[in-house]
Amino acid sequence: MIRIFYNSMIACKHCASAVSFMERYKYEYKTIDISQPENKEEYEKVEDILHELKEDIGILPYVMVTDDVGFTGFPSTETEFEILEYLQAIN
């Protein structure tokens, strides 16, 4: 299941785009609010993984496709086909 890490304390249009994409293409996903203390450990682990993958960890959302594959940010609807191709290649 794809995990989308976001911060409910800030407005994030890319986070909303990620959720909209998952809904439209019928991907199973769950959202994880990084501002909640109970999610801190999982968030820090994912942040370390993305840093190792050379992703820019200053950009939300964090999108984890598997436990060790993910990316940060989310493209606009004009270029979201790139994400669709990426997800199809992984699965």
Side-chain angles (χ1 to χ4, degrees):
M1 176 179 298
I2 296 172
R3 296 174 291 158
I4 301 172
F5 292 79
Y6 74 102
N7 185 339
S8 65
M9 304 301 280
I10 59 171
C12 173
K13 72 176 187 171
H14 299 293
C15 301
S17 295
V19 169
S20 175
F21 175 91
M22 298 299 162
E23 292 288 328
R24 282 183 282 120
Y25 290 102
K26 311 274 190 257
Y27 280 97
E28 278 190 52
Y29 72 96
K30 73 175 183 174
T31 56
I32 299 164
D33 185 354
I34 64 173
S35 70
Q36 299 300 310
E38 64 269 15
N39 297 327
K40 184 177 191 249
E41 187 176 319
E42 184 177 11
Y43 165 69
E44 289 174 348
K45 180 180 176 186
V46 165
E47 188 174 52
D48 289 342
I49 292 166
L50 290 170
H51 183 70
E52 289 175 17
L53 293 172
K54 308 277 191 260
E55 291 289 334
D56 183 349
I57 57 174
I59 299 174
L60 288 176
Y62 293 175
V63 180
M64 294 304 293
V65 181
T66 67
D67 287 339
D68 56 354
V69 174
F71 58 92
T72 62
F74 210 84
S76 66
T77 54
E78 292 83 26
T79 58
E80 72 181 12
F81 69 89
E82 295 168 354
I83 299 298
L84 187 57
E85 290 172 353
Y86 175 79
L87 294 175
Q88 289 172 342
I90 290 173
N91 294 326

